[in-house]
Amino acid sequence: MTRLSLILATLRHFRWSNLAVLAGVIVATATLTGALMVGDSVRESLRALALQRLGPVDHALVAGRFFSDSLAQRLVAHSQIKSIHNAILVRGGAYVEDAKQRTAGVQIAAIQGTGDGDWAPIQPGESLINGELANSLPAARPGQRILFTLPQLANGPLDATLARRGRGDVTNGLPATLSRIESTPGFLSMFNLAGGQRLPRNAWVNLSDLQDAVGQPNRVNTLLVQSRSAAADLNRALNSAVSLEDYGLTITPHQNEAILTSTDTYLLPPIERAAARAAKSLNLTPT
């Protein structure tokens, strides 16, 4: 008996066992192939959703504090970027005055461009909401007044000993006339820098109106950039353009000393460490 005939005889004798193994291999292969295809499909769907939400935004600087809106112009001067958009993003609520309907968890946003026009052109006193927010406020119609409630953003922490904590001290209202409900999928209806599959409740208002409402005139907390430049290049430009004022810091000469002051209630630990390093490099003794 040759080796080939022995193999064929073995296959015939154990044919049912071999068929069971073959069926198992086929089922396992089909399952793994289907899982890979579904995984790729979900990944591409999430990627497409993320790109829709970001719209023209390639890079974003979201600060934990407000800074001068002139930083955008300084960044343009220190980089190859032609246009950087000032923006404010805050969380608040919305209230339809006529119908007495209200909702929370609203992303209240305002954007203003520096060179290529506004991505969200909203006239003073007006507002635009997306379909998700309109579903939460069924009575909202173009031409109606909507009151947006948002935090009064102070420089110091609200849990500080001398902080003012009354409702009028920590919240503010921004009345605006609803000009349009944007239900078409796109930047205005879907914009959100946070992850997740749930659509945000977006409300767009005029930047100057929002700056006044949060008590931060001529200041913003976000920069949005449409540029293919690498993040490292943008960071280098930021290091060249940023100033102490953007951090809420000032240095005041006093006799033989220099006093570092902050608009915050306290000097934060990273600022203290940076000040200590700067003093050491100048052979000064911080006190």
Side-chain angles (χ1 to χ4, degrees):
M1 179 177 289
T2 64
R3 180 176 298 178
L4 178 59
S5 61
L6 177 62
I7 293 174
L8 293 175
T10 302
L11 290 175
R12 282 195 304 270
H13 183 75
F14 297 103
R15 58 185 178 277
W16 298 115
S17 299
N18 292 331
L19 286 174
V21 173
L22 179 61
V25 171
I26 293 174
V27 171
T29 302
T31 301
L32 291 175
T33 303
L36 290 173
M37 294 176 63
V38 171
D40 289 341
S41 177
V42 171
R43 187 181 298 108
E44 286 302 313
S45 298
L46 292 176
R47 182 176 183 274
L49 178 61
L51 292 177
Q52 275 188 306
R53 289 191 174 189
L54 292 175
V57 178
D58 292 312
H59 302 280
L61 168 66
V62 182
R65 60 173 300 114
F66 278 76
F67 51 86
S68 173
D69 55 14
S70 65
L71 179 58
Q73 295 286 2
R74 283 177 273 145
L75 275 173
V76 170
H78 284 83
S79 66
Q80 301 298 319
I81 302 171
K82 301 303 182 183
S83 177
I84 298 177
H85 289 70
N86 286 312
I88 293 180
L89 301 178
V90 294
R91 294 298 248 180
Y95 172 69
V96 180
E97 295 179 337
D98 296 338
K100 296 184 178 180
Q101 293 179 347
R102 67 177 68 237
T103 187
V106 180
Q107 178 177 256
I108 304 171
I111 297 179
Q112 187 175 63
T114 59
D116 60 354
D118 291 348
W119 294 339
I122 307 297
Q123 297 300 315
E126 295 185 353
S127 65
L128 179 152
I129 65 175
N130 69 347
E132 191 72 12
L133 179 54
N135 291 337
S136 301
L137 300 172
R141 296 288 186 274
Q144 281 186 310
R145 296 280 286 179
I146 295 182
L147 177 65
F148 297 102
T149 55
L150 34 82
Q152 181 78 16
L153 301 172
N155 292 318
L158 295 178
D159 57 353
T161 303
L162 300 179
R164 302 171 66 186
R165 303 184 186 88
R167 181 172 182 177
D169 300 321
V170 299
T171 60
N172 208 343
L174 173 59
T177 301
L178 179 59
S179 61
R180 186 165 104 243
I181 297 175
E182 183 63 53
S183 300
T184 305
F187 176 72
L188 292 177
S189 62
M190 302 179 66
F191 174 70
N192 191 10
L193 294 178
Q197 298 185 28
R198 184 175 180 179
L199 287 177
R201 297 173 178 175
N202 281 346
W204 297 91
V205 295
N206 180 265
L207 181 61
S208 297
D209 291 346
L210 188 53
Q211 287 173 329
D212 293 338
V214 297
Q216 298 288 338
N218 300 318
R219 298 172 73 82
V220 294
N221 65 356
T222 304
L223 294 180
L224 301 176
V225 181
Q226 183 181 17
S227 172
R228 297 300 180 183
S229 299
D233 296 334
L234 291 172
N235 286 330
R236 282 192 292 270
L238 180 62
N239 289 334
S240 301
V242 74
S243 66
L244 286 178
E245 183 184 355
D246 296 317
Y247 292 100
L249 302 173
T250 55
I251 295 179
T252 305
H254 179 70
Q255 297 180 357
N256 296 326
E257 299 177 338
I259 302 174
L260 175 66
T261 58
S262 172
T263 55
D264 290 333
T265 305
Y266 311 105
L267 284 178
L268 300 176
I271 295 177
E272 291 183 359
R273 291 192 291 268
R277 289 194 300 269
K280 184 177 180 180
S281 66
L282 297 173
N283 295 320
L284 300 176
T285 303
T287 58

